[in-house]
Amino acid sequence: MADAITPRQSDYSQWYLDVVKHAKLADYSPVRGCMIIRPTGYALWENMQRALDDMFKETGHENVYFPLFIPQSFMAREAEHVEGFAKECAVITHSRLKLDPELGLIADPDSKLDENLVVRPTSETIMWDTYAKWIQSWRDLPRKYNQWANVVRWEMRTRLFLRTMEFLWQEGHTAHATRDEAVEETLQMLDVYATFAEEWMAMPVVRGVKTASERFAGAVDTYCIEALMQDGKALQAGTSHFLGQNFAKAFDCQFQNRDNELEYVWATSWGVSTRLIGALIMVHSDDQGLIIPPRLAPTQVVLIPIYRSDEDRERVLAEAATIAAELRSAGVRMKVDDREGYRPGWKFNEYEVQGVPIRLALGPRDVENGTVELARRDTREKMSVSREGLADEIQTLLDGIQVGLYERALAYREANTRIVDDYDTFKQVLDEEGGFIRMHWDGTAETEARIKEESKATIRCIPVEGTWPEDEAPGTDPVSGAPSARRVLYARAY
RNA sequence: CGGGGUGUAGCGCAGCCCGGUUAGCGCAUCUGCUUUGGGAGCAGAGGGUCGCAGGUUCGAAUCCUGCCACCCCGACCA
């Protein structure tokens, strides 16, 4: 028996790290806080990218690529932006190394840059500097660009996928002629993210807007999708910002409108990152390892041949190839694991840990009977099914698993979302069960800060209209006793 | 940056307190044979600057000094 995965109940964060490690998603790197994404993890990211990229294209966006390096002075242009990011920027000061007889290899003092470069923590500044050149007239608008890139934020404390110093993401940066159009874009992209989370990741999310203190540095409004993890903590899974004219003003990006007036351009930015992989793990997986929703699974079905004699081997592998061809032509991502040197039991375990949704086992007995053994990862049920109509059955089952995972996660979230009306219960719920708490808030940063200080819970968001209509009625903030316009969503978060 | 802890084979650890020949164990790896319907068994093999640098000593993984790295808790975290 190889080393086991720590059960969720005994140590959730160790469980998470064990799943990442055992499922071979990622590894630690020689550099603190950075990670190596392994083939399985990267294939998962590629599937996410593909689905998201299609949705971006469908909503009229084009991909671009801007440089990794940003002139340091750009960071200073937007006051709030620099304040938010200054503490976590990697700065490039030299361009050469030099072998010093005493000190060894050092940055060559003679190669000091005239102006430092910052490794992008996000690209608003460099993009808006360029947009200012591209946009002169209302005819140049809108510009709806996205880029797939890596960014660096010098975090103090990191965790694989959830917070790493370098991570992969996409960042959309759009430019609009009117405020309304930019706000509409912001909300549209929030919607795209929510749809992706729910339909592809099978992860229910709450859409909402951040309070002023949780807002993106430089934004007018930050919208987000918030998901609930199995340990009762919330995770921000994506953000969409309405930037107003802040960056346009900072980079002097004006256009002439139809009335022949000079006006600043309206902006949005929005992003999701490899953090989504962390969310995916924490929402669905169990003590046996990873569970991947079928729509995102790099391998949806794995077939494991079983045989003793060479003669059996030939028959079983021939049948396996036929099944594989059938399933592939039906559009199923299918793999036959015919590796020698690993026993079937070992392979069963391997794919269970790696979260492949459906496992088939095919032995001489099955070939004889025209059957195949089918095991589903989500419920761990095993059954013998007929070869007849297998492709149809598997497609139906994959769809069923996708829906089932969503429903399971939604049921968990609903069971762990509570309406609370007094502060003692609030703290008690957080300590004992966690989860989302819907409670009144007086709208002040003081109360928000006090609650954060005392309970470590933050306002995850003010949910968008219609999320919980009954929460939109006025009431009283139980902490300050002041009037409240509506309930907001609290939780402890990652 | 504050508090605590750990550095010994790819991974996980024992040995250190109380110095003493070729530094052990489990997993993993390699070879052979037997196996193969839920993480195989037996036999054999390979793999080590004991974090780094000094010091004490006839002799240091073990004692002393300094340094470094990593982990956990806190601070921090669009």
Side-chain angles (χ1 to χ4, degrees):
Chain A
M1 185 90 166
D3 45 351
I5 293 171
T6 306
R8 282 165 293 184
Q9 276 214 302
S10 63
D11 184 346
Y12 192 82
S13 57
Q14 190 56 52
W15 165 82
Y16 172 79
L17 293 174
D18 284 353
V19 171
V20 171
K21 197 169 107 187
H22 284 76
K24 298 192 173 75
L25 295 174
D27 214 337
Y28 291 100
S29 87
V31 180
R32 180 189 73 86
C34 295
M35 72 173 166
I36 294 156
I37 305 177
R38 306 182 66 170
T40 314
Y42 201 80
L44 193 48
W45 177 239
E46 285 177 316
N47 286 349
M48 290 178 160
Q49 273 186 306
R50 199 168 299 128
L52 284 164
D53 201 61
D54 285 347
M55 293 167 104
F56 299 159
K57 303 278 170 61
E58 279 162 24
T59 45
H61 299 87
E62 297 173 284
N63 282 336
V64 292
Y65 187 79
F66 278 71
L68 175 64
F69 304 133
I70 298 175
Q72 184 173 291
S73 58
F74 281 24
M75 294 301 293
R77 299 272 200 98
E78 212 288 331
E80 287 183 22
H81 192 68
V82 67
E83 201 185 316
F85 284 104
K87 283 172 289 183
E88 46 186 12
C89 283
V91 183
I92 298 172
T93 55
H94 293 77
S95 67
R96 273 202 304 269
L97 293 173
K98 172 188 177 183
L99 195 57
D100 183 278
E102 277 167 29
L103 302 168
L105 201 56
I106 57 164
D108 185 347
D110 293 340
S111 73
K112 185 148 175 27
L113 302 181
D114 292 339
E115 179 179 358
N116 288 346
L117 298 174
V118 168
V119 180
R120 63 176 164 223
T122 179
S123 302
E124 276 79 4
T125 57
I126 194 163
M127 287 199 172
W128 278 91
D129 175 71
T130 303
Y131 286 5
K133 292 179 201 154
W134 288 348
I135 299 166
Q136 319 294 335
S137 147
W138 61 270
R139 292 186 188 83
D140 297 326
L141 294 168
R143 297 274 175 152
K144 295 168 71 173
Y145 297 143
N146 171 67
Q147 78 171 1
W148 290 95
N150 58 336
V151 287
V152 169
R153 296 179 187 179
W154 213 264
E155 303 286 355
M156 314 219 73
R157 210 155 142 201
T158 59
R159 303 184 72 189
L160 293 174
F161 289 114
L162 295 177
R163 177 169 288 111
T164 48
M165 298 221 301
E166 179 192 8
F167 56 91
L168 305 184
W169 77 344
Q170 58 69 216
E171 47 181 326
H173 296 272
T174 66
H176 306 268
T178 66
R179 179 192 179 95
D180 286 353
E181 191 183 302
V183 169
E184 192 185 331
E185 165 79 7
T186 308
L187 293 171
Q188 178 188 46
M189 297 325 287
L190 182 74
D191 218 56
V192 163
Y193 288 155
T195 302
F196 174 76
E198 300 189 339
E199 292 183 5
W200 290 79
M201 297 175 68
M203 178 174 79
V205 292
V206 175
R207 299 161 216 213
V209 64
K210 289 287 187 191
T211 63
S213 59
E214 300 274 326
R215 211 175 267 156
F216 174 75
V220 173
D221 274 316
T222 287
Y223 291 84
C224 62
I225 52 173
E226 293 284 329
L228 190 61
M229 305 296 108
Q230 290 181 71
D231 62 346
K233 285 170 81 173
L235 183 75
Q236 177 176 302
T239 47
S240 183
H241 314 290
F242 169 57
L243 302 174
Q245 295 171 310
N246 293 347
F247 284 91
K249 286 176 180 165
F251 289 89
D252 196 25
C253 183
Q254 299 185 77
F255 72 104
Q256 275 184 291
N257 65 21
R258 287 168 211 252
D259 301 327
N260 207 20
E261 296 162 340
L262 217 46
E263 206 182 328
Y264 285 106
V265 176
W266 298 87
T268 82
S269 71
W270 28 274
V272 294
S273 71
T274 36
R275 173 182 256 203
L276 288 179
I277 295 176
L280 189 80
I281 296 166
M282 290 200 290
V283 166
H284 298 302
S285 301
D286 62 18
D287 292 348
Q288 274 67 46
L290 192 61
I291 293 179
I292 311 178
R295 288 188 86 177
L296 288 175
T299 300
Q300 296 172 311
V301 176
V302 64
L303 187 151
I304 295 162
I306 298 163
Y307 47 80
R308 290 169 197 243
S309 64
D310 283 351
E311 186 196 339
D312 282 348
R313 177 170 184 274
E314 213 167 293
R315 288 167 58 216
V316 167
L317 288 182
E319 183 69 5
T322 310
I323 293 174
E326 262 176 52
L327 293 187
R328 282 190 193 122
S329 69
V332 176
R333 291 191 290 274
M334 162 87 196
K335 172 177 158 181
V336 176
D337 186 353
D338 58 357
R339 286 179 297 172
E340 303 282 348
Y342 294 97
R343 305 171 78 251
W346 189 90
K347 291 178 184 173
F348 289 174
N349 210 272
E350 168 107 333
Y351 292 106
E352 202 158 282
V353 172
Q354 292 187 17
V356 175
I358 294 178
R359 184 190 72 226
L360 301 176
L362 184 77
R365 251 174 12 221
D366 295 301
V367 176
E368 207 74 32
N369 303 334
T371 58
V372 57
E373 184 191 83
L374 185 155
R376 49 190 287 184
R377 176 63 184 86
D378 60 336
T379 58
R380 306 188 76 216
E381 282 173 285
K382 274 203 297 200
M383 56 200 117
S384 182
V385 299
S386 169
R387 277 279 286 102
E388 209 69 34
L390 185 65
D392 284 348
E393 182 164 353
I394 282 187
Q395 279 188 309
T396 306
L397 188 55
L398 287 171
D399 291 346
I401 291 171
Q402 182 78 29
V403 172
L405 286 174
Y406 177 79
E407 282 170 356
R408 187 157 88 180
L410 184 62
Y412 173 84
R413 192 189 78 186
E414 284 179 351
N416 289 280
T417 299
R418 296 173 182 82
I419 295 178
V420 171
D421 285 315
D422 71 278
Y423 197 27
D424 285 340
T425 308
F426 179 85
K427 286 188 272 196
Q428 188 189 341
V429 166
L430 285 171
D431 286 338
E432 288 170 12
E433 16 223 346
F436 282 143
I437 296 178
R438 292 150 57 188
M439 190 168 81
H440 278 289
W441 172 50
D442 62 16
T444 67
E446 291 72 36
T447 305
E448 188 184 10
R450 181 182 154 197
I451 290 176
K452 182 176 179 180
E453 170 74 25
E454 291 173 1
S455 70
K456 293 192 176 155
T458 49
I459 298 176
R460 301 317 304 155
C461 68
I462 302 160
V464 297
E465 219 179 294
T467 306
W468 289 292
E470 65 270 34
D471 287 6
E472 291 160 25
T476 305
D477 184 318
V479 180
S480 65
S484 153
R486 54 159 301 150
R487 290 179 192 276
V488 298
L489 193 67
Y490 282 96
R492 283 190 185 142
Y494 277 95

